[in-house]
Amino acid sequence: ISFLVAPGVNRGMTVFVNELYKVTDQTLFKIDASGVATDLGTIAGSNRCIFANAGTNLLVTTGAAGYQLTGETLTQITDSDFQNGNSVTYLQQQMVYDGNGGQFQVSDVGNPDSLQPNNFATAESSPDDTIRVFAFRERFYTFGTDSVQTWYFSGVGNPPVAQVNGGTMNVGLAAIHSVGATDDFCYFLGDDRRVYRFSSVQPQNITSIAISHQLDLLGDVSDALGGIVRIEGQSFYVLTIPSGDKTFVFNEQSGAWFNLSSGADERRY
């Protein structure tokens, strides 16, 4: 029995205030426990979405625009200082957005769609472009094409952030949507087609030889999707490459990899 039949392209989903929210084609739906979907408005474009939960507000970025949901009211971010980044993350009552040319943006405290012209910073340890921001363990990370840099809210300056000394990882991000985190580790697909994880500032290549070989045989991997599944007390990092029609899974507790597939032709799960 299907919980919900929602024809159209899935652009991402999240849980917000104990309810499921999903973007299908250009519509944001709220889905209740009975599978009833409520149309909340339009999320323009076709890019996959990234969400950030501020408690009373849900922020959505698409790479071309940003949106804020308050209650059941969906509005587009119109602040003149807002740059249309790919991603958003929430930490210390503020939203962090990736910006243009290696920059990232920090919102006003408690006002996620308001940005000041001096609340921008540049990931200066490496000249690569910032393509994803992600909060993990009281810090946030700026993922670039060639590096990952670690930041914290210092309470000083504009924006009130500082880089962690020795917190630059010399590996880039291959796929914007491949980042996922458990309680203990943050996982991502690196620019060298290897899966990495970190708990602080030291990246660990966890890719087995067999999975490395399969990744090397694929074409473009920039569309890879990564996420966390928890089953019976165990955490799994699930990495799907739609263009390559493959799904790979890493078990955090055992350290083992396996392929997950659908159908007799072993397509991606």
Side-chain angles (χ1 to χ4, degrees):
I1 299 174
S2 296
F3 171 69
L4 172 69
V5 177
V9 176
N10 169 31
R11 295 173 60 195
M13 55 186 171
T14 190
V15 174
F16 173 59
V17 195
N18 297 320
E19 291 191 286
L20 180 64
Y21 290 77
K22 181 176 185 288
V23 179
T24 299
D25 290 336
Q26 295 190 340
T27 302
L28 174 63
F29 291 101
K30 179 177 75 171
I31 304 166
D32 68 18
S34 300
V36 176
T38 302
D39 183 340
L40 297 179
T42 299
I43 304 288
S46 59
N47 295 339
R48 192 165 181 84
C49 301
I50 291 177
F51 307 88
N53 181 349
T56 57
N57 307 80
L58 179 67
L59 276 293
V60 186
T61 56
T62 68
Y67 299 84
Q68 178 175 215
L69 179 71
T70 304
E72 293 193 356
T73 302
L74 180 67
T75 56
Q76 185 171 344
I77 298 175
T78 57
D79 190 301
S80 60
D81 294 308
F82 176 71
Q83 297 178 2
N84 294 320
N86 299 297
S87 62
V88 58
T89 194
Y90 179 73
L91 187 66
Q92 300 286 8
Q93 300 183 37
Q94 292 174 270
M95 289 291 173
V96 181
Y97 305 87
D98 71 279
N100 301 326
Q103 288 187 322
F104 60 89
Q105 319 159 70
V106 180
S107 75
D108 295 342
V109 175
N111 198 354
D113 65 342
S114 177
L115 295 104
Q116 303 303 318
N118 59 353
N119 267 359
F120 288 74
T122 302
E124 297 176 345
S125 294
S126 180
D128 56 335
D129 188 21
T130 299
I131 57 176
R132 178 75 192 260
V133 291
F134 192 83
F136 178 66
R137 286 188 162 186
E138 302 303 317
R139 295 172 172 176
F140 69 91
Y141 296 80
T142 54
F143 288 81
T145 53
D146 300 312
S147 68
V148 182
Q149 298 182 43
T150 313
W151 301 78
Y152 68 98
F153 275 90
S154 63
V156 178
N158 296 101
V161 301
Q163 191 171 352
V164 174
N165 290 333
T168 298
M169 308 179 208
N170 294 319
V171 58
L173 181 65
I176 294 169
H177 299 284
S178 69
V179 184
T182 66
D183 292 338
D184 297 317
F185 294 99
C186 181
Y187 295 82
F188 67 98
L189 180 63
D191 61 336
D192 57 357
R193 294 173 177 252
R194 301 298 179 261
V195 175
Y196 290 84
R197 72 177 182 182
F198 60 84
S199 60
S200 181
V201 296
Q202 297 297 326
Q204 175 190 9
N205 180 354
I206 59 170
T207 324
S208 69
I209 294 175
I211 298 298
S212 296
H213 176 68
Q214 292 187 65
L215 286 169
D216 285 341
L217 293 176
L218 299 178
D220 182 20
V221 295
S222 63
D223 63 341
L225 309 174
I228 304 299
V229 175
R230 295 180 178 87
I231 303 174
E232 296 182 352
Q234 298 188 70
S235 297
F236 301 85
Y237 173 67
V238 182
L239 180 69
T240 293
I241 295 90
S243 58
D245 215 12
K246 293 290 185 181
T247 298
F248 310 106
V249 183
F250 176 77
N251 183 321
E252 184 172 273
Q253 281 64 40
S254 69
W257 282 94
F258 58 91
N259 288 74
L260 194 62
S261 61
S262 294
D265 53 355
E266 299 185 349
R267 302 185 61 189
R268 71 183 188 272
Y269 184 76

